[in-house]
Amino acid sequence: MTPVMLGLIGIAVFFVLILLRMPIAYAMALVGFVGFSLLVNPQAGFSMVARELYSTFSSYSLSVIAMFVWMGFLAYYSGIGSRLYVFAYKLVGHRPGGLAMATQVACAAFGAICGSNTATAATMGAIALPEMKKYQYDDSMATASVAAGGVLGVLIPPSVIFIVYGMSTEQSIGQLFIAGIIPGLLLMLMYIATIRLLTLRNPNLGPAGPKAGWRERWQALRGGLGEVLAVFALSMGGLFAGWFTPTEAGAVGAAGVLLVALLGRHLNWEGLKSSLLDATRTTAMIMLLVAGAVIFGRFMAVSRLPFELANWTAALAMPPWAVMALILLIYLILGCFIDALALILLTIPIFYPIVVGNLGYDPIWFGVITVLVVAMGVITPPVGMNVFIIKGVAPDVPLETIFKGIWPFLGAIIVCLAILIAFPGISTWLPNLLR
Amino acid sequence: MKYLTALVQGFSRVLDRIAGVCLFAIMFLVVLNIITRGIFNHPIAGTYDYVNLLTAAAIGLALAYCAFQDGHIAVSFVMEKLPPKMQAVIDLLINSLGLVFWALAAWFTAGYARSLTANNMVSATSEVPLSPVVYLITLGLVGLGLVLLLRIIESWKRMIS
């Protein structure tokens, strides 16, 4: 059997194992180890696993993931998410669908101090859903808008997926962070437009709430957005000003949220403890995925599958945009079944050399596009992580109802994606300006 | 069974608490280093090494409790459609496969730690021995194995009930 054939069989076995409910990280590590051992030898396989586990866990650059994840949980436990939401709904809550629009603004702002889309969805779900229920929003509209809003947390920096993409491709994490800002804001506006259109057609989807005066709005602004702006300016501003590295920015961000929370007396001992324990759990999950992908990547490298695939694509008589479209379609399909982070880790070693090396696309632009495409997977059936999280927050709403409401938001993401593909400058202009 | 569950939960939770302390220490150390570097032009020597080692310890030690809380992402939409007995059988097989793999990984990680000790491997700048952290990762993998053992017993019980 040729190494390439073994690589293909390895991928098939990986899919069988994850469909049989083996955690994705375990399946990647196990298949990676067995494949590597068959192609090299078992002794080399075991020492590779031990070495890669240690080197991934002790990676200085990846330590930032733990910090950005903790930052998000600190913001949740200190009620920053809740204060952000209050500000957003005092601003637009009086319009039809206003609470759902407010959720998008709050998700985008929360994304600026949180690295994980699931944490953004969980935080906003817990805060926004009870409010929307109070104002008799349609269940489908309420739950789907929060699940979709979580995607904003992926694009708006800091973002764990961008860090992992940057690490896998040796691209600047700072540049990727900047590149995500405008597409993130664009997507937020697309969501708001979608909600507006939906409520214009059927106002019962999101009845208008009470209107707040400018004085109330100003007070809410100081409470919620002020804290976020201060922390964002400190961690991201200091990073772009060159005061500290991207890795250090995570620790500065976590310290900033902790300081804001302690000064405002919004965090007690229990909250601090819970934030740390939630952060260790989430970080362990992410880092075992990364380690599993690294081990799987070793197997892929010795099987020579990525190189053969790159050669095969180069020999295809297809224009670059058609190859790109094919790759995005593969991402879209796989994204329905595999977690966004795992998908990036699994596929970047295979597709990145083709897209950037063979086809000559911009690596930062490809990062933004890939991250957005895989992020769609967190709200598409049958495995939409954000939808499951929202289901956890609103157990009385059936999964089908949430997925039914997701379609218009998916449409908004696809339009946003088309705009980003048609006008690559939207993603690359800001990083080039600040380079 | 109750005792075993309590034992595995207690053990993995203790490891997780230590991981939490490590995370706090990383934040504290990095921020202190930035302040002393920026204001006093005097960075804390070895911060890079300490952050690496603390991160490795935090992640290794948090693996087991994450597994205990079913925190490692899995896809369950296919399995949910199968009859409960068949689910139990497949869970038993899959968890056994996982247990064998992670137990072997723990064994070889301990071997890697021993080789680091034998070769006196230390960190690049502060010259801290590397092997204790690798032993902590081994401990985390042992915890992960214990959680999988617990899941195997649970699947077995579901299978024969």
Side-chain angles (χ1 to χ4, degrees):
Chain A
M1 190 188 305
T2 63
V4 172
M5 183 54 96
L6 197 67
L8 288 171
I9 293 174
I11 292 176
V13 173
F14 163 76
F15 277 107
V16 171
L17 288 176
I18 64 167
L19 289 179
L20 294 177
R21 205 154 50 190
M22 178 178 269
I24 297 175
Y26 301 6
M28 285 201 282
L30 176 64
V31 173
F33 158 71
V34 173
F36 189 91
S37 300
L38 288 173
L39 287 172
V40 186
N41 65 59
Q43 186 62 38
F46 275 116
S47 64
M48 182 269 290
V49 168
R51 253 195 344 266
E52 295 301 355
L53 281 175
Y54 169 68
S55 64
T56 308
F57 292 172
S58 65
S59 158
Y60 185 73
S61 321
L62 289 175
S63 68
V64 67
I65 291 178
M67 290 295 109
F68 279 133
V69 167
W70 183 32
M71 183 178 169
F73 283 115
L74 271 173
Y76 171 71
Y77 282 105
S78 59
I80 290 183
S82 167
R83 289 191 290 283
L84 263 178
Y85 187 69
V86 169
F87 161 69
Y89 92 57
K90 294 235 153 118
L91 206 65
V92 288
H94 59 285
R95 295 182 185 282
L99 292 179
M101 293 178 195
T103 305
Q104 307 313 323
V105 177
C107 279
F110 195 76
I113 51 164
C114 175
S116 139
N117 83 86
T118 45
T120 305
T123 306
M124 283 303 145
I127 297 159
L129 285 178
E131 289 297 321
M132 289 200 254
K133 207 175 178 70
K134 194 163 92 187
Y135 289 102
Q136 292 170 339
Y137 268 53
D138 175 72
D139 278 345
S140 192
M141 159 71 101
T143 49
S145 66
V146 185
V151 176
L152 295 170
V154 180
L155 282 176
I156 292 180
S159 159
V160 168
I161 299 192
F162 271 136
I163 296 171
V164 169
Y165 175 87
M167 293 295 300
S168 312
T169 59
E170 296 180 348
Q171 289 299 316
S172 153
I173 290 167
Q175 293 272 312
L176 285 163
F177 275 2
I178 305 171
I181 295 175
I182 298 179
L185 294 175
L186 177 68
L187 184 60
M188 181 191 81
L189 293 176
M190 307 289 295
Y191 280 165
I192 290 176
T194 307
I195 295 163
R196 183 85 186 116
L197 285 174
L198 288 172
T199 47
L200 269 179
R201 219 179 54 178
N202 180 5
N204 292 333
L205 288 177
K211 188 169 184 173
W214 281 105
R215 195 185 164 83
E216 272 180 273
R217 286 177 184 175
W218 173 245
Q219 276 171 346
L221 172 96
R222 282 196 320 185
L225 201 63
E227 290 166 331
V228 171
L229 284 178
V231 174
F232 187 76
L234 180 70
S235 67
M236 291 295 128
L239 164 65
F240 300 138
W243 295 344
F244 37 77
T245 63
T247 310
E248 291 172 331
V252 172
V257 176
L258 186 61
L259 196 69
V260 163
L262 291 178
L263 286 177
R265 294 172 187 255
H266 296 306
L267 190 72
N268 55 18
W269 171 245
E270 275 308 307
L272 176 64
K273 210 168 76 179
S274 302
S275 72
L276 272 169
L277 297 182
D278 282 352
T280 56
R281 190 192 62 229
T282 310
T283 308
M285 179 270 283
I286 294 173
M287 294 302 289
L288 197 63
L289 263 180
V290 176
V294 170
I295 293 168
F296 192 82
R298 294 269 174 233
F299 164 45
M300 284 291 111
V302 291
S303 79
R304 296 198 51 81
L305 184 64
F307 312 107
E308 292 299 329
L309 199 63
N311 287 341
W312 178 73
T313 323
L316 274 181
M318 276 166 84
W321 65 264
V323 179
M324 186 72 194
L326 193 66
I327 290 174
L328 291 182
L329 187 69
I330 294 173
Y331 270 122
L332 203 58
I333 295 168
L334 289 180
C336 294
F337 301 95
I338 305 180
D339 170 67
L341 191 61
L343 186 55
I344 287 269
L345 285 161
L346 191 70
T347 55
I348 282 300
I350 299 172
F351 290 145
Y352 183 80
I354 300 175
V355 173
V356 176
N358 287 14
L359 306 180
Y361 283 102
D362 183 274
I364 300 286
W365 172 82
F366 181 58
V368 173
I369 298 294
T370 314
V371 164
L372 186 53
V373 176
V374 297
M376 280 171 78
V378 302
I379 53 168
T380 48
V383 187
M385 191 59 72
N386 279 15
V387 173
F388 295 161
I389 287 169
I390 296 304
K391 167 77 184 157
V393 182
D396 51 323
V397 182
L399 265 181
E400 294 74 33
T401 308
I402 310 178
F403 276 126
K404 199 182 89 193
I406 284 293
W407 296 113
F409 293 97
L410 264 181
I413 300 181
I414 290 171
V415 173
C416 181
L417 197 61
I419 294 174
L420 294 177
I421 291 173
F423 305 101
I426 296 175
S427 316
T428 54
W429 173 73
L430 204 52
N432 286 337
L433 191 74
L434 297 174
R435 201 185 285 263
Chain B
M1 183 66 192
K2 239 165 125 181
Y3 283 118
L4 185 68
T5 309
L7 187 77
V8 173
Q9 184 180 17
F11 177 63
S12 54
R13 197 159 53 186
V14 168
L15 298 185
D16 194 48
R17 299 281 150 104
I18 303 171
V21 175
C22 292
L23 274 198
F24 191 91
I26 294 168
M27 183 272 287
F28 188 76
L29 187 62
V30 171
V31 172
L32 199 64
N33 184 47
I34 293 170
I35 293 172
T36 55
R37 184 179 65 201
I39 300 176
F40 308 109
N41 202 18
H42 200 284
I44 301 168
T47 301
Y48 181 87
D49 290 349
Y50 295 128
V51 168
N52 285 353
L53 297 176
L54 283 168
T55 308
I59 295 161
L61 294 174
L63 290 176
Y65 199 55
C66 177
F68 186 83
Q69 295 173 303
D70 291 326
H72 294 293
I73 294 176
V75 174
S76 54
F77 71 98
V78 174
M79 288 284 281
E80 278 164 4
K81 294 193 170 50
L82 300 178
K85 287 267 176 195
M86 193 184 276
Q87 282 191 39
V89 174
I90 295 173
D91 277 343
L92 188 126
L93 292 173
I94 288 290
N95 284 324
S96 303
L97 208 58
L99 174 62
V100 171
F101 174 68
W102 290 117
L104 284 170
W107 178 260
F108 281 88
T109 308
Y112 180 53
R114 274 197 301 278
S115 75
L116 290 174
T117 312
N119 295 317
N120 277 330
M121 294 300 282
V122 291
S123 64
T125 52
S126 55
E127 301 192 344
V128 179
L130 298 178
S131 59
V133 169
V134 184
Y135 278 121
L136 286 180
I137 295 175
T138 308
L139 193 64
L141 293 175
V142 170
L144 181 60
L146 284 175
V147 174
L148 288 170
L149 184 66
L150 191 67
R151 296 285 180 260
I152 291 169
I153 298 170
E154 285 167 359
S155 311
W156 175 257
K157 284 192 142 182
R158 275 190 289 138
M159 212 171 79
I160 56 170
S161 66

